[in-house]
Amino acid sequence: MLLLLTALALADDLELTAAKVAKLPAIDGKAGDDAWKGAAELTVPIGVPEEKAERKAMMKAVHDGDSIVVLVRWADDSKNAVHQTLSWSLSDEKYLVQDDAEYEDSCSLGFALEGTFNPDMLAPVEAKWDVWHWGADRSSGGYALDLLHVYSKTAPPGMKSKQKTARDESRIFIGRALDAGTPPFKTLEAPKAKGPDKVPQFAAQKPAGSAADVEARGEHADNMWTVEFKRKLKTGQKDDTQIDPAKPLAFCLATFNNQEKADHDVSHTILLKLR
């Protein structure tokens, strides 16, 4: 799966300030903790161009000097909590991902790791991103997918990539890989014989290694998703962005309704600042 996102053309970067707190919020997707009450809220337009950005998300962030927690809230009038469901194919006599498959709601944070950061994935620049991706199905065990995104003029070695045409008509390769270790989900073996019309393809599992760096929980209530991400500021892992409290960090936000089954866009660059 490849996420093709387009950047907002805003004049100024947005800023998300993470205040230092004595106690971090619980990662439960509820946003009722005392730590959030005094945190500044940032409204982030989601759409292209800015004047057509009918969707928006609300963000907050806090840290304790060791770890950071980021809160994301956005409107969604339907809850999609299973991903790439398998349906029985009469012609193939097996379970397959069909055109009517269900896809999870999700959101992701993409942080500058190497190179020039540009939220437009089709920009003609070479870069690497550290991406925290929460999905309503694949993150149901309490962890985000910790990913490395690579944008390169040549096919990145050692990872799957797709060639795309950049904005200047040059070619750009976009690669995406899970961080090293055991991911927070596993792929289930499809039943050999027909049972229910639809069966799940994924199940949560305990992650390990660099893939276990980002805790995340989401909850859908009152036509809103609330998702909380938590990670250490410095993990020491090569495939992670190390967050320096003294330096602003460029990142962007994307929210997805039904994942691959609807158009989706990304925010303009947001600068994360810790105080």
Side-chain angles (χ1 to χ4, degrees), residues 67 115 193 205 242 249:
S67 299
Q205 66 179 0
Q242 308 306 310
L249 174 62

Side-chain angles (χ1 to χ4, degrees), residues 30-251:
K30 298 183 183 298
D33 302 78
D34 289 341
W36 292 129
K37 294 177 182 178
E41 184 173 80
L42 174 67
T43 299
V44 180
I46 306 288
V48 180
E50 182 186 3
E51 60 268 18
K52 294 184 179 180
E54 298 178 354
R55 292 180 293 124
K56 62 183 179 180
M58 284 67 74
M59 299 187 72
K60 292 182 178 182
V62 292
H63 74 98
D64 65 356
D66 178 69
S67 299
I68 187 169
V69 179
V70 179
L71 170 73
V72 184
R73 301 184 71 241
W74 73 96
D76 188 339
D77 58 10
S78 62
K79 178 182 179 179
N80 304 107
V82 289
H83 189 59
Q84 290 186 327
T85 48
L86 300 174
S87 298
W88 183 258
S89 170
L90 291 175
S91 59
D92 295 283
E93 295 188 336
K94 62 181 179 180
Y95 283 99
L96 299 170
V97 177
Q98 307 280 17
D99 289 341
D100 63 347
E102 297 172 77
Y103 288 74
E104 65 187 354
D105 293 331
S106 58
C107 73
S108 62
L109 306 176
F111 296 90
L113 180 58
E114 292 181 15
T116 302
F117 184 81
N118 187 325
D120 186 347
M121 288 189 174
L122 297 181
V125 298
E126 293 189 303
K128 292 181 180 179
W129 293 9
D130 178 17
V131 176
W132 308 351
H133 185 93
W134 171 88
D137 185 359
R138 291 174 296 169
S139 296
S140 60
Y143 290 86
L145 283 64
D146 197 356
L147 301 159
L148 175 67
H149 282 196
V150 177
Y151 310 95
S152 176
K153 295 293 185 179
T154 58
M159 68 189 312
K160 293 182 178 180
S161 63
K162 290 188 177 182
Q163 180 180 326
K164 296 293 177 179
T165 301
R167 302 297 178 197
D168 64 353
E169 302 301 322
S170 66
R171 69 178 186 177
I172 189 80
F173 289 86
I174 305 177
R176 181 177 181 269
L178 288 162
D179 280 9
T182 303
F185 68 93
K186 60 183 176 181
T187 302
L188 302 173
E189 183 177 352
K192 301 298 183 183
K194 185 182 184 308
D197 289 339
K198 293 185 178 183
V199 297
Q201 186 175 181
F202 302 105
Q205 66 179 0
K206 181 71 173 178
S210 187
D213 289 331
V214 186
E215 296 179 50
R217 288 278 185 188
E219 182 171 292
H220 188 270
D222 300 323
N223 294 325
M224 293 282 296
W225 274 112
T226 300
V227 177
E228 292 171 297
F229 296 90
K230 179 183 178 182
R231 203 207 74 176
K232 286 186 175 297
L233 298 176
K234 299 184 184 297
T235 66
Q237 305 282 7
K238 293 189 302 182
D239 47 16
D240 291 332
T241 297
Q242 308 306 310
I243 301 174
D244 185 343
K247 297 179 181 178
L249 174 62
F251 77 102

